[in-house]
Amino acid sequence: MSDIPQQPAKQLLHLVFGGELKSVASMEFRDLNRLDIVGVYPNYAAAHAVWKGKAQQTVDNAQMRYFIVHLHRLLDPATEKPSGTPSA
């Protein structure tokens, strides 16, 4: 064991949300009042796990889409994208 206190991982907030699109060729939602705001997560890995689950639940509806928004990039544009992180 080390006596050096460990720093908690830096919080990089991510939002997962989804909804039904007007068409598969657009990024316009059919009804903004029916958006599914799934939640805010402390890192990309947690957000991706939830996104994947929601996307798999709606696989039968081609117009239903879920997204991950990198809130930390909006809140702090100087935040760098970690290497190896997909641009989602």
Side-chain angles (χ1 to χ4, degrees):
M1 282 194 145
S2 174
D3 292 334
I4 301 171
Q6 292 186 357
Q7 294 281 338
K10 185 174 180 183
Q11 196 176 69
L12 299 174
L13 298 178
H14 291 77
L15 166 68
V16 178
F17 77 101
E20 192 167 4
L21 302 176
K22 286 187 175 183
S23 79
V24 293
S26 81
M27 293 292 287
E28 190 173 349
F29 291 99
R30 184 177 305 272
D31 183 355
L32 291 177
N33 292 320
R34 297 188 65 199
L35 281 181
D36 180 10
I37 308 298
V38 181
V40 176
Y41 299 90
N43 55 52
Y44 181 81
H48 186 267
V50 172
W51 167 85
K52 186 175 179 180
K54 294 300 278 187
Q56 288 175 342
Q57 288 174 5
T58 59
V59 71
D60 292 335
N61 182 349
Q63 290 176 280
M64 188 66 135
R65 293 284 195 280
Y66 279 88
F67 300 91
I68 299 174
V69 178
H70 297 265
L71 291 179
H72 63 95
R73 291 184 191 164
L74 298 174
L75 297 170
D76 181 10
T79 303
E80 292 185 28
K81 182 176 111 177
S83 61
T85 302
S87 48

